[in-house]
Amino acid sequence: MSQRTLRGAVAVAGIGETEYYKRGRAPETELVLTLRAILCAAEDAGIDPREIDGFASYSNDRNEPSRLAAALGLPELRFSNMQWGGGGGGGSAAVANAAAAIHAGLADCVVVYRGLAQGQFGRFGAGQRRPTLSGDAALWYPYGLMSPAQMFAMRANRLMYEHGIGHETFRAISLASYHHAQANPRAVMHGRPLDVETYESARWIVEPYRLYDCCLENDGAGSHNVPDYATASFKTLAPRLYEMAGVTPSDVDVLQSYENFTAGVVMSLIEHGFCKPEEANEFITVENLLAPEGKLPLNTSGGNLAECYMHGFELQLEAVRQLRGTSTSQVPDAVVSMVTSGPMVTPVSNMILGSGEALG
Amino acid sequence: MSAPYLPAGLPAPAPQPDGLDAAYWDGTREHELRVQRCDHCGACQWGPEWICHRCLSFEMGWKTLAGRGRIYSWERVWHPVHPALADHGAYIVALVTLDDADDARMIGNLLGDPQQTVQIGAAVEAVFEDHDEGTSSYTLVHWRVTT
């Protein structure tokens, strides 16, 4: 009987990206950027783009596979997939959906992509401007609870209350991302390092988030009535990931963990077993998070906070680079490379990439 | 009546056209706090849904509460994300666990000094804030720490 697993079934053959621009400054349309990135990935994979026969994306990407297929002159479009819901939480799931399609024989060569040019379409997830609202929004917006930061700050406060997590722990996440961005010339925050004083003196967005705790472009609505509230939503998912991959947290050489907000990363780390809640303040320090020497190198190209705001897709690319040895902050001998996508939204997703050596 | 907690210009709430939450919003106009209670198994739940999360019955009724609860979490908002809030200053959003409602939680503003120290677990009571300006009439449910 065949195992129901993706372990060792599919390979990432190529990655591609365009230059990253500040919001509103992209010189080309969103569709053109997406096509360029796809062509770049095809070249990196050493294939003719017309071998592509499927697409997978997430977070309500606007660039439809049918249009991409027509634009590229593809002879066949066999897989056209959108991960449903969860915004940036779907980044790893999009990769998994593509992998499952290939493994099941639905397609042979699938591109997973994220194309975003917000200046062209208006700010992603902008607060409601309608005069009246119904549904869940009616229970939140009139009280001034509208933005993603406002949706999730209460989870961070609850996390601090339940487990005594200090704000320095959140700060370490931010400092690590910014540190790695300084080695990455592609990063939007390259040349703009962050130090403790700047972090601490930055304005509050919504307590306990200061400016540098927040990825600025985000989506996400929260549920405030889930029994388990101060969670990144990985508690049941992380064990499944490790089981499929056949590894434990101590086997993970390098981690890309989606920072919508620094507190979300802290929750992600705890829920993926890298430390217990009561150990978080001691374990999650800048020193432990930096490549190449840290115990858990994190967001090694700068992440959502400091590389670019591609709703986490840049994390997928960096996870691949670490296994190829081509990262700007390379972890020596990395063979197990992990991504967590979310956090605090639903559904979330995660993935582990392994080199041939890791597969054994 | 004292001034509203937040300035005018924020979106006004309206009941859903399909009636799912009509009893809640009607209740607020009468200064009654209501949440769903399953007619079949008696479980309370909030925000409203067509089905009981516990027993999967579609027979959802309502329960009127005393309007007491405890702060489960909170945040102090500084950055204004809506033009109406541009010059308002910080305000507090609270997530309140409702008494006698199977731990259902509700969002509201926490009245009083916006810079107050907020204690998770503090006992609070509901305060209704009527809005009868313009074309829409509605009532919000805020919270105040009880001594």
Side-chain angles (χ1 to χ4, degrees), chain A residues 5-14 45 47 51-56 78-81 93-112:
Chain A
T5 181
L6 290 174
R7 187 183 190 279
V10 177
V12 174
I47 64 162
E51 293 184 49
I52 297 167
D53 61 1
F55 296 96
R78 299 167 64 197
F79 187 64
S80 175
N81 183 266
V95 178
N97 293 339
I102 293 168
H103 185 46
L106 305 182
D108 294 325
C109 179
V110 180
V111 174
V112 186

mmCIF file of all heavy atoms in Angstrom, chain A residues 5-14 45 47 51-56 78-81 93-112:
data_model
loop_
_atom_site.group_PDB
_atom_site.id
_atom_site.type_symbol
_atom_site.label_atom_id
_atom_site.label_comp_id
_atom_site.label_asym_id
_atom_site.label_seq_id
_atom_site.Cartn_x
_atom_site.Cartn_y
_atom_site.Cartn_z
ATOM 1 N N THR A 5 1.868 10.425 1.648
ATOM 2 C CA THR A 5 2.854 11.401 2.080
ATOM 3 C C THR A 5 3.419 12.116 0.866
ATOM 4 O O THR A 5 3.380 11.605 -0.249
ATOM 5 C CB THR A 5 3.994 10.717 2.869
ATOM 6 O OG1 THR A 5 4.936 11.710 3.286
ATOM 7 C CG2 THR A 5 4.744 9.714 1.979
ATOM 8 N N LEU A 6 3.936 13.323 1.113
ATOM 9 C CA LEU A 6 4.655 14.037 0.065
ATOM 10 C C LEU A 6 6.158 13.934 0.244
ATOM 11 O O LEU A 6 6.908 14.443 -0.582
ATOM 12 C CB LEU A 6 4.249 15.523 0.067
ATOM 13 C CG LEU A 6 2.825 15.833 -0.394
ATOM 14 C CD1 LEU A 6 2.510 17.307 -0.196
ATOM 15 C CD2 LEU A 6 2.628 15.436 -1.836
ATOM 16 N N ARG A 7 6.587 13.263 1.292
ATOM 17 C CA ARG A 7 8.022 13.207 1.596
ATOM 18 C C ARG A 7 8.760 12.538 0.449
ATOM 19 O O ARG A 7 8.456 11.397 0.081
ATOM 20 C CB ARG A 7 8.260 12.442 2.892
ATOM 21 C CG ARG A 7 9.696 12.474 3.359
ATOM 22 C CD ARG A 7 9.865 11.624 4.626
ATOM 23 N NE ARG A 7 11.174 11.811 5.242
ATOM 24 C CZ ARG A 7 12.281 11.190 4.825
ATOM 25 N NH1 ARG A 7 12.233 10.367 3.795
ATOM 26 N NH2 ARG A 7 13.431 11.410 5.440
ATOM 27 N N GLY A 8 9.684 13.283 -0.124
ATOM 28 C CA GLY A 8 10.495 12.730 -1.186
ATOM 29 C C GLY A 8 9.793 12.557 -2.520
ATOM 30 O O GLY A 8 10.356 11.973 -3.449
ATOM 31 N N ALA A 9 8.553 13.066 -2.615
ATOM 32 C CA ALA A 9 7.775 12.795 -3.823
ATOM 33 C C ALA A 9 8.007 13.803 -4.927
ATOM 34 O O ALA A 9 7.829 13.503 -6.105
ATOM 35 C CB ALA A 9 6.287 12.763 -3.453
ATOM 36 N N VAL A 10 8.325 15.033 -4.532
ATOM 37 C CA VAL A 10 8.344 16.138 -5.486
ATOM 38 C C VAL A 10 9.545 17.019 -5.174
ATOM 39 O O VAL A 10 9.940 17.141 -4.014
ATOM 40 C CB VAL A 10 7.035 16.970 -5.369
ATOM 41 C CG1 VAL A 10 7.058 18.160 -6.296
ATOM 42 C CG2 VAL A 10 5.821 16.107 -5.663
ATOM 43 N N ALA A 11 10.107 17.651 -6.193
ATOM 44 C CA ALA A 11 11.241 18.545 -5.991
ATOM 45 C C ALA A 11 10.904 19.968 -6.413
ATOM 46 O O ALA A 11 10.141 20.178 -7.355
ATOM 47 C CB ALA A 11 12.449 18.057 -6.801
ATOM 48 N N VAL A 12 11.512 20.920 -5.717
ATOM 49 C CA VAL A 12 11.476 22.300 -6.175
ATOM 50 C C VAL A 12 12.572 22.432 -7.219
ATOM 51 O O VAL A 12 13.755 22.294 -6.913
ATOM 52 C CB VAL A 12 11.717 23.293 -5.014
ATOM 53 C CG1 VAL A 12 11.813 24.716 -5.554
ATOM 54 C CG2 VAL A 12 10.618 23.171 -3.964
ATOM 55 N N ALA A 13 12.173 22.709 -8.453
ATOM 56 C CA ALA A 13 13.132 22.695 -9.552
ATOM 57 C C ALA A 13 13.716 24.066 -9.849
ATOM 58 O O ALA A 13 14.802 24.181 -10.412
ATOM 59 C CB ALA A 13 12.468 22.135 -10.810
ATOM 60 N N GLY A 14 13.007 25.102 -9.494
ATOM 61 C CA GLY A 14 13.487 26.440 -9.799
ATOM 62 C C GLY A 14 12.773 27.482 -8.981
ATOM 63 O O GLY A 14 11.637 27.266 -8.549
ATOM 64 N N ALA A 45 15.087 26.750 -13.399
ATOM 65 C CA ALA A 45 14.853 25.305 -13.419
ATOM 66 C C ALA A 45 15.428 24.655 -14.665
ATOM 67 O O ALA A 45 15.495 23.430 -14.771
ATOM 68 C CB ALA A 45 13.355 25.021 -13.323
ATOM 69 N N ILE A 47 14.102 24.860 -17.725
ATOM 70 C CA ILE A 47 13.035 24.313 -18.559
ATOM 71 C C ILE A 47 12.497 25.373 -19.500
ATOM 72 O O ILE A 47 12.605 26.586 -19.251
ATOM 73 C CB ILE A 47 11.861 23.760 -17.718
ATOM 74 C CG1 ILE A 47 11.182 24.882 -16.913
ATOM 75 C CG2 ILE A 47 12.327 22.637 -16.810
ATOM 76 C CD1 ILE A 47 9.800 24.515 -16.423
ATOM 77 N N GLU A 51 6.678 24.039 -20.721
ATOM 78 C CA GLU A 51 6.492 22.775 -20.001
ATOM 79 C C GLU A 51 5.596 22.955 -18.773
ATOM 80 O O GLU A 51 5.114 21.964 -18.204
ATOM 81 C CB GLU A 51 7.838 22.216 -19.549
ATOM 82 C CG GLU A 51 8.744 21.763 -20.682
ATOM 83 C CD GLU A 51 10.017 21.147 -20.143
ATOM 84 O OE1 GLU A 51 9.929 20.276 -19.259
ATOM 85 O OE2 GLU A 51 11.108 21.547 -20.600
ATOM 86 N N ILE A 52 5.380 24.185 -18.350
ATOM 87 C CA ILE A 52 4.505 24.433 -17.202
ATOM 88 C C ILE A 52 3.096 23.977 -17.569
ATOM 89 O O ILE A 52 2.582 24.336 -18.630
ATOM 90 C CB ILE A 52 4.502 25.921 -16.819
ATOM 91 C CG1 ILE A 52 5.898 26.364 -16.387
ATOM 92 C CG2 ILE A 52 3.487 26.197 -15.713
ATOM 93 C CD1 ILE A 52 6.065 27.873 -16.286
ATOM 94 N N ASP A 53 2.476 23.206 -16.670
ATOM 95 C CA ASP A 53 1.103 22.774 -16.943
ATOM 96 C C ASP A 53 0.170 22.987 -15.747
ATOM 97 O O ASP A 53 -0.938 22.449 -15.706
ATOM 98 C CB ASP A 53 1.052 21.321 -17.429
ATOM 99 C CG ASP A 53 1.593 20.334 -16.405
ATOM 100 O OD1 ASP A 53 2.002 20.747 -15.310
ATOM 101 O OD2 ASP A 53 1.589 19.124 -16.713
ATOM 102 N N GLY A 54 0.640 23.801 -14.774
ATOM 103 C CA GLY A 54 -0.252 24.065 -13.653
ATOM 104 C C GLY A 54 0.226 25.263 -12.853
ATOM 105 O O GLY A 54 1.400 25.650 -12.924
ATOM 106 N N PHE A 55 -0.715 25.842 -12.087
ATOM 107 C CA PHE A 55 -0.422 26.983 -11.234
ATOM 108 C C PHE A 55 -1.101 26.797 -9.885
ATOM 109 O O PHE A 55 -2.204 26.234 -9.795
ATOM 110 C CB PHE A 55 -0.934 28.295 -11.847
ATOM 111 C CG PHE A 55 -0.272 28.665 -13.129
ATOM 112 C CD1 PHE A 55 -0.850 28.337 -14.349
ATOM 113 C CD2 PHE A 55 0.941 29.341 -13.120
ATOM 114 C CE1 PHE A 55 -0.228 28.688 -15.544
ATOM 115 C CE2 PHE A 55 1.561 29.693 -14.307
ATOM 116 C CZ PHE A 55 0.975 29.363 -15.523
ATOM 117 N N ALA A 56 -0.429 27.282 -8.837
ATOM 118 C CA ALA A 56 -1.033 27.269 -7.507
ATOM 119 C C ALA A 56 -0.668 28.565 -6.803
ATOM 120 O O ALA A 56 0.487 28.981 -6.850
ATOM 121 C CB ALA A 56 -0.539 26.076 -6.691
ATOM 122 N N ARG A 78 -3.438 22.120 -16.639
ATOM 123 C CA ARG A 78 -4.037 20.939 -16.000
ATOM 124 C C ARG A 78 -4.347 21.150 -14.519
ATOM 125 O O ARG A 78 -5.016 20.342 -13.900
ATOM 126 C CB ARG A 78 -3.098 19.749 -16.161
ATOM 127 C CG ARG A 78 -2.833 19.356 -17.604
ATOM 128 C CD ARG A 78 -1.656 18.397 -17.715
ATOM 129 N NE ARG A 78 -1.915 17.132 -17.044
ATOM 130 C CZ ARG A 78 -0.980 16.258 -16.696
ATOM 131 N NH1 ARG A 78 0.288 16.524 -16.943
ATOM 132 N NH2 ARG A 78 -1.298 15.120 -16.113
ATOM 133 N N PHE A 79 -3.820 22.215 -13.931
ATOM 134 C CA PHE A 79 -4.040 22.431 -12.495
ATOM 135 C C PHE A 79 -4.112 23.924 -12.262
ATOM 136 O O PHE A 79 -3.199 24.662 -12.646
ATOM 137 C CB PHE A 79 -2.891 21.790 -11.698
ATOM 138 C CG PHE A 79 -3.112 21.804 -10.209
ATOM 139 C CD1 PHE A 79 -4.162 21.095 -9.632
ATOM 140 C CD2 PHE A 79 -2.242 22.507 -9.369
ATOM 141 C CE1 PHE A 79 -4.357 21.095 -8.256
ATOM 142 C CE2 PHE A 79 -2.430 22.510 -7.992
ATOM 143 C CZ PHE A 79 -3.486 21.803 -7.432
ATOM 144 N N SER A 80 -5.184 24.396 -11.648
ATOM 145 C CA SER A 80 -5.424 25.833 -11.484
ATOM 146 C C SER A 80 -5.970 26.037 -10.081
ATOM 147 O O SER A 80 -7.152 25.880 -9.833
ATOM 148 C CB SER A 80 -6.430 26.307 -12.532
ATOM 149 O OG SER A 80 -6.779 27.657 -12.329
ATOM 150 N N ASN A 81 -5.098 26.346 -9.131
ATOM 151 C CA ASN A 81 -5.461 26.145 -7.728
ATOM 152 C C ASN A 81 -5.240 27.367 -6.860
ATOM 153 O O ASN A 81 -4.224 28.035 -6.973
ATOM 154 C CB ASN A 81 -4.635 24.977 -7.186
ATOM 155 C CG ASN A 81 -4.984 24.644 -5.749
ATOM 156 O OD1 ASN A 81 -4.351 25.130 -4.825
ATOM 157 N ND2 ASN A 81 -6.013 23.841 -5.578
ATOM 158 N N ALA A 93 0.836 26.092 2.036
ATOM 159 C CA ALA A 93 -0.231 25.243 1.497
ATOM 160 C C ALA A 93 -0.254 25.278 -0.016
ATOM 161 O O ALA A 93 -0.558 24.274 -0.664
ATOM 162 C CB ALA A 93 -1.586 25.682 2.053
ATOM 163 N N ALA A 94 0.045 26.434 -0.598
ATOM 164 C CA ALA A 94 0.065 26.518 -2.063
ATOM 165 C C ALA A 94 1.133 25.592 -2.620
ATOM 166 O O ALA A 94 0.925 24.920 -3.642
ATOM 167 C CB ALA A 94 0.313 27.963 -2.508
ATOM 168 N N VAL A 95 2.277 25.547 -1.964
ATOM 169 C CA VAL A 95 3.333 24.627 -2.378
ATOM 170 C C VAL A 95 2.870 23.184 -2.200
ATOM 171 O O VAL A 95 3.065 22.327 -3.069
ATOM 172 C CB VAL A 95 4.625 24.886 -1.580
ATOM 173 C CG1 VAL A 95 5.707 23.889 -1.981
ATOM 174 C CG2 VAL A 95 5.121 26.310 -1.793
ATOM 175 N N ALA A 96 2.213 22.913 -1.080
ATOM 176 C CA ALA A 96 1.726 21.559 -0.824
ATOM 177 C C ALA A 96 0.667 21.147 -1.834
ATOM 178 O O ALA A 96 0.651 20.002 -2.300
ATOM 179 C CB ALA A 96 1.159 21.475 0.598
ATOM 180 N N ASN A 97 -0.213 22.082 -2.177
ATOM 181 C CA ASN A 97 -1.258 21.758 -3.162
ATOM 182 C C ASN A 97 -0.627 21.404 -4.503
ATOM 183 O O ASN A 97 -1.049 20.455 -5.176
ATOM 184 C CB ASN A 97 -2.210 22.950 -3.327
ATOM 185 C CG ASN A 97 -3.031 23.209 -2.075
ATOM 186 O OD1 ASN A 97 -3.199 22.320 -1.246
ATOM 187 N ND2 ASN A 97 -3.534 24.419 -1.928
ATOM 188 N N ALA A 98 0.383 22.182 -4.900
ATOM 189 C CA ALA A 98 1.075 21.890 -6.159
ATOM 190 C C ALA A 98 1.763 20.543 -6.095
ATOM 191 O O ALA A 98 1.705 19.744 -7.035
ATOM 192 C CB ALA A 98 2.089 22.995 -6.446
ATOM 193 N N ALA A 99 2.411 20.288 -4.972
ATOM 194 C CA ALA A 99 3.126 19.018 -4.813
ATOM 195 C C ALA A 99 2.160 17.840 -4.845
ATOM 196 O O ALA A 99 2.433 16.806 -5.478
ATOM 197 C CB ALA A 99 3.913 19.027 -3.499
ATOM 198 N N ALA A 100 1.016 18.009 -4.182
ATOM 199 C CA ALA A 100 0.032 16.921 -4.174
ATOM 200 C C ALA A 100 -0.489 16.649 -5.574
ATOM 201 O O ALA A 100 -0.713 15.494 -5.959
ATOM 202 C CB ALA A 100 -1.124 17.286 -3.233
ATOM 203 N N ALA A 101 -0.681 17.719 -6.348
ATOM 204 C CA ALA A 101 -1.182 17.547 -7.714
ATOM 205 C C ALA A 101 -0.189 16.751 -8.562
ATOM 206 O O ALA A 101 -0.567 15.861 -9.328
ATOM 207 C CB ALA A 101 -1.441 18.917 -8.353
ATOM 208 N N ILE A 102 1.086 17.097 -8.406
ATOM 209 C CA ILE A 102 2.105 16.383 -9.172
ATOM 210 C C ILE A 102 2.203 14.941 -8.709
ATOM 211 O O ILE A 102 2.226 14.006 -9.522
ATOM 212 C CB ILE A 102 3.460 17.104 -9.031
ATOM 213 C CG1 ILE A 102 3.395 18.470 -9.722
ATOM 214 C CG2 ILE A 102 4.581 16.245 -9.619
ATOM 215 C CD1 ILE A 102 4.562 19.366 -9.389
ATOM 216 N N HIS A 103 2.225 14.757 -7.427
ATOM 217 C CA HIS A 103 2.356 13.413 -6.849
ATOM 218 C C HIS A 103 1.207 12.518 -7.273
ATOM 219 O O HIS A 103 1.379 11.307 -7.487
ATOM 220 C CB HIS A 103 2.408 13.541 -5.335
ATOM 221 C CG HIS A 103 2.665 12.255 -4.611
ATOM 222 N ND1 HIS A 103 3.642 11.365 -4.977
ATOM 223 C CD2 HIS A 103 2.070 11.714 -3.520
ATOM 224 C CE1 HIS A 103 3.640 10.330 -4.158
ATOM 225 N NE2 HIS A 103 2.692 10.519 -3.262
ATOM 226 N N ALA A 104 0.011 13.119 -7.411
ATOM 227 C CA ALA A 104 -1.174 12.348 -7.790
ATOM 228 C C ALA A 104 -1.343 12.239 -9.291
ATOM 229 O O ALA A 104 -2.295 11.612 -9.760
ATOM 230 C CB ALA A 104 -2.427 12.989 -7.188
ATOM 231 N N GLY A 105 -0.448 12.856 -10.035
ATOM 232 C CA GLY A 105 -0.520 12.739 -11.478
ATOM 233 C C GLY A 105 -1.472 13.702 -12.150
ATOM 234 O O GLY A 105 -1.836 13.510 -13.315
ATOM 235 N N LEU A 106 -1.880 14.775 -11.426
ATOM 236 C CA LEU A 106 -2.781 15.741 -12.043
ATOM 237 C C LEU A 106 -2.033 16.726 -12.934
ATOM 238 O O LEU A 106 -2.633 17.388 -13.778
ATOM 239 C CB LEU A 106 -3.533 16.525 -10.969
ATOM 240 C CG LEU A 106 -4.325 15.704 -9.941
ATOM 241 C CD1 LEU A 106 -5.049 16.632 -8.967
ATOM 242 C CD2 LEU A 106 -5.321 14.782 -10.616
ATOM 243 N N ALA A 107 -0.745 16.884 -12.672
ATOM 244 C CA ALA A 107 0.083 17.808 -13.451
ATOM 245 C C ALA A 107 1.525 17.351 -13.293
ATOM 246 O O ALA A 107 1.843 16.563 -12.410
ATOM 247 C CB ALA A 107 -0.094 19.256 -12.962
ATOM 248 N N ASP A 108 2.395 17.873 -14.166
ATOM 249 C CA ASP A 108 3.805 17.489 -14.091
ATOM 250 C C ASP A 108 4.725 18.621 -13.649
ATOM 251 O O ASP A 108 5.785 18.371 -13.093
ATOM 252 C CB ASP A 108 4.276 16.990 -15.466
ATOM 253 C CG ASP A 108 3.588 15.698 -15.870
ATOM 254 O OD1 ASP A 108 3.318 14.866 -14.975
ATOM 255 O OD2 ASP A 108 3.312 15.514 -17.071
ATOM 256 N N CYS A 109 4.318 19.852 -13.927
ATOM 257 C CA CYS A 109 5.221 20.980 -13.711
ATOM 258 C C CYS A 109 4.381 22.179 -13.292
ATOM 259 O O CYS A 109 3.810 22.861 -14.146
ATOM 260 C CB CYS A 109 6.005 21.277 -14.995
ATOM 261 S SG CYS A 109 7.129 22.650 -14.850
ATOM 262 N N VAL A 110 4.329 22.428 -12.014
ATOM 263 C CA VAL A 110 3.425 23.449 -11.485
ATOM 264 C C VAL A 110 4.228 24.624 -10.954
ATOM 265 O O VAL A 110 5.241 24.446 -10.261
ATOM 266 C CB VAL A 110 2.544 22.871 -10.358
ATOM 267 C CG1 VAL A 110 1.600 23.938 -9.801
ATOM 268 C CG2 VAL A 110 1.738 21.674 -10.873
ATOM 269 N N VAL A 111 3.776 25.818 -11.283
ATOM 270 C CA VAL A 111 4.370 27.025 -10.731
ATOM 271 C C VAL A 111 3.530 27.488 -9.539
ATOM 272 O O VAL A 111 2.315 27.664 -9.667
ATOM 273 C CB VAL A 111 4.426 28.153 -11.776
ATOM 274 C CG1 VAL A 111 4.918 29.445 -11.141
ATOM 275 C CG2 VAL A 111 5.319 27.755 -12.941
ATOM 276 N N VAL A 112 4.193 27.688 -8.405
ATOM 277 C CA VAL A 112 3.553 28.297 -7.239
ATOM 278 C C VAL A 112 4.015 29.743 -7.206
ATOM 279 O O VAL A 112 5.217 30.005 -7.315
ATOM 280 C CB VAL A 112 3.961 27.586 -5.938
ATOM 281 C CG1 VAL A 112 3.167 28.139 -4.760
ATOM 282 C CG2 VAL A 112 3.770 26.084 -6.066
#
